[in-house]
Amino acid sequence: EAQVTQNPRYLITVTGKKLTVTCSQNMNHEYMSWYRQDPGLGLRQIYYSMNVEVTDKGDVPEGYKVSRKEKRNFPLILESPSPNQTSLYFCASSFSGGSSYEQYFGPGTRLTVT
Amino acid sequence: GDSVTQMEGPVTLSEEAFLTINCTYTATGYPSLFWYVQYPGEGLQLLLKATKADDKGSNKGFEATYRKETTSFHLEKGSVQVSDSAVYFCALTRGGGATNKLIFGTGTLLAVQP
């Protein structure tokens, strides 16, 4: 089954404790990205990757890091989480090279930073 | 910059009522337009899309027409069901862009009552 998986689904942590949210896709997609969803703001892009070892900032990258060492995986790293990073996070993937390609979303990770 | 504006919710309807969710956009070039749906506790799923002016996207009884003259992509369904209760997001990607980045509206919560 074609899918994007994220782990963990729920996470409660404390300020400053480094964490990683994993994302994996099984569709051989080149393009992967991370979004955060906040009430009244919709979804905003954090980082994206056009292919292995190619990453770039989205609209709200502050406080986040990513890496793309393998095509299927695109982890999101919070080196020193703060309460304003409490949010619902989604990973997405698609084929690249065309803006009309459907993006497939993971089920989301709800993060709470206290 | 590019942006998407959609009507605020929540929208509450009775089963079998007619649904319209308004969406307008601002973008340079020729964007592709999308409606994504988010069911409770799940990630986003593509509902329908349109890639050029006057295209009509349709799926599961939902329709939306790409109107370049009014920069709109309104979502409609003739007879809603309780199972349509979800959050609906209008989104665009910039035509010819290199990144596939989705720009989302803030989402509209639809609640259908039996």
Side-chain angles (χ1 to χ4, degrees), chain B residues 3-8 20-26 32-36 64-67 70-76 88-92 103-108:
Chain B
S3 66
V4 174
T5 303
Q6 59 182 106
M7 65 188 287
E8 301 230 353
T20 300
I21 300 177
N22 290 336
C23 172
T24 57
Y25 68 89
T26 301
S32 294
L33 302 175
F34 305 82
W35 278 100
Y36 279 83
T65 300
Y66 189 144
R67 301 283 189 203
T70 54
T71 62
S72 65
F73 192 55
H74 304 321
L75 182 68
E76 296 182 336
Y88 292 81
F89 290 93
C90 185
L92 68 83
I103 296 171
F104 286 91
T106 54
T108 301

Side-chain angles (χ1 to χ4, degrees), chain B residues 1 3 9 16 30 32 47 52 58-59 64-65 68-69 74 78 90-91 93 95 99 110-111 114:
Chain B
S3 66
E16 299 185 2
Y30 301 92
S32 294
L47 181 59
K52 61 182 188 295
S58 61
N59 186 26
T65 300
K68 192 164 178 63
E69 63 276 13
H74 304 321
C90 185
T93 55
T99 69
L110 170 65

Side-chain angles (χ1 to χ4, degrees), chain B residues 36-71:
Chain B
Y36 279 83
V37 58
Q38 184 180 29
Y39 298 104
E42 298 184 12
L44 281 73
Q45 304 172 24
L46 178 65
L47 181 59
L48 53 85
K49 70 177 183 182
T51 60
K52 61 182 188 295
D54 299 325
D55 265 2
K56 177 186 283 189
S58 61
N59 186 26
K60 298 181 180 180
F62 291 90
E63 293 183 340
T65 300
Y66 189 144
R67 301 283 189 203
K68 192 164 178 63
E69 63 276 13
T70 54
T71 62

Side-chain angles (χ1 to χ4, degrees), chain A residues 9 31 35 37 40-43 45 48 50 59 88 90 94-108, chain B residues 30 32 34 36 38 41-46 49 51 87 89 93-102 104-107:
Chain A
R9 293 289 311 276
Y31 180 86
Y35 294 86
Q37 182 181 7
L41 297 176
L43 283 83
Q45 190 183 60
Y48 67 93
M50 297 297 287
D59 295 322
L88 180 57
F90 290 100
S94 73
F95 293 112
S96 58
S99 59
S100 65
Y101 285 123
E102 175 179 358
Q103 294 197 32
Y104 292 80
F105 284 80
Chain B
Y30 301 92
S32 294
F34 305 82
Y36 279 83
Q38 184 180 29
E42 298 184 12
L44 281 73
Q45 304 172 24
L46 178 65
K49 70 177 183 182
T51 60
V87 180
F89 290 93
T93 55
R94 183 181 297 177
T99 69
N100 293 19
K101 181 174 80 172
L102 281 162
F104 286 91
T106 54

